[in-house]
Amino acid sequence: MINGIKLAPSIVSADLSRLREQLEECEQAGADYIHIDVMDGRFVPAITIGLPVVEAIRRSSGLVLDVHLMVVEPEKHAVPFIDAGGDIINVHVEAATHLHRIVQQVHNRDRKAGVCLNPGTPVVAVEQVLPEVDQVMLMAVNPGASGQRFIESALPKVARLRKLIDEGGLSAEIEVDGGVSPETAPRCAAVGANVIVAASAIFNENASVSDNIGRLRESLSRIGRGV
């Protein structure tokens, strides 16, 4: 944790042939969460990680597993991904017909519940569940692929959500996912985010996982000293 901000490497950009090794690098470099993007080919075009891989990650890492369900009918998938080892289960408001029910399902299994907003979905869509959830994830790219350009309109959404949480005396964390880099991460944190997801900024051929996490940590350490 840096300045109270948690770092969540997203394995969507990891080298799956070396996944255990890269998970160990994340842990040694001080990551707080492992972010797992689950895509079903319906809510988003891509298909990614399923239950067996999450089970393998759980056996390989002691970090918090932050599961991001980019799927239709998330009510059918929340509990299976808890059973596979997920610690935080995040569902999209755009896909959830009965959002409160899913949050209750997750809490009934003693796990944390998160809700996600696409870039075009306003913060008002989660206001009614804010007292119930542990995390709100704001997408700063359109979900479905790593390496996209950061959408600037995510920043005022973070600020708006931070104001609602603080004024309500609530405890939900604000997570930003998409387009995160050493340049954008401190900007997200400066307006109120406290969980930063990074994929291609951490897992790439330009530097090691440890070095890339180090760059993000250094950028986040500048919060309060001007960014």
Side-chain angles (χ1 to χ4, degrees):
M1 189 181 300
I2 314 103
N3 279 356
I5 302 158
K6 296 173 182 175
L7 188 59
S10 173
I11 61 167
V12 70
S13 294
D15 180 351
L16 295 183
S17 70
R18 300 192 300 115
L19 185 54
R20 181 189 291 271
E21 175 187 338
Q22 294 201 319
L23 290 169
E24 290 173 351
E25 289 183 67
C26 289
E27 192 159 359
Q28 291 167 4
D32 300 283
Y33 296 168
I34 295 295
H35 188 81
I36 303 173
D37 287 318
V38 177
M39 308 182 196
D40 65 356
R42 297 175 65 196
F43 184 72
V44 293
I47 298 174
T48 56
I49 287 167
L51 293 168
V53 178
V54 176
E55 290 169 353
I57 294 169
R58 177 74 290 161
R59 292 193 298 269
S60 301
S61 177
L63 292 177
V64 170
L65 301 189
D66 183 40
V67 178
H68 180 188
L69 295 181
M70 287 176 269
V71 301
V72 299
E73 299 180 307
E75 64 277 3
K76 295 182 178 180
H77 301 283
V79 170
F81 276 95
I82 289 172
D83 292 341
D87 296 298
I88 308 172
I89 305 297
N90 302 279
V91 300
H92 273 265
V93 298
E94 302 87 359
T97 304
H98 302 290
L99 192 55
H100 278 95
R101 183 179 298 167
I102 301 173
V103 170
Q104 289 169 355
Q105 282 182 326
V106 174
H107 285 159
N108 286 343
R109 299 300 290 269
D110 295 322
R111 297 297 189 274
K112 292 185 176 181
V115 292
C116 317
L117 293 177
N118 281 339
T121 304
V123 168
V124 68
V126 297
E127 283 194 52
Q128 296 303 311
V129 296
L130 273 181
E132 312 298 329
V133 300
D134 304 288
Q135 179 167 276
V136 180
M137 183 192 308
L138 297 180
M139 298 299 298
V141 299
N142 288 298
S146 178
Q148 299 179 63
R149 182 186 296 273
F150 183 85
I151 296 174
E152 291 289 328
S153 59
L155 295 173
K157 286 177 71 174
V158 174
R160 167 66 176 155
L161 185 57
R162 170 52 58 202
K163 185 171 186 285
L164 287 172
I165 290 170
D166 289 350
E167 288 181 349
L170 306 175
S171 58
E173 294 186 320
I174 301 174
E175 181 173 62
V176 176
D177 182 7
V180 169
S181 68
E183 291 69 44
T184 57
R187 297 175 64 206
C188 294
V191 292
N194 44 19
V195 183
I196 301 294
V197 176
S200 57
I202 289 176
F203 300 104
N204 59 55
E205 297 180 353
N206 301 322
S208 69
V209 168
S210 178
D211 286 345
N212 287 329
I213 288 179
R215 290 188 182 95
L216 280 168
R217 289 173 63 86
E218 196 282 327
S219 75
L220 291 167
S221 73
R222 298 197 300 269
I223 302 298
R225 296 190 281 124
V227 296

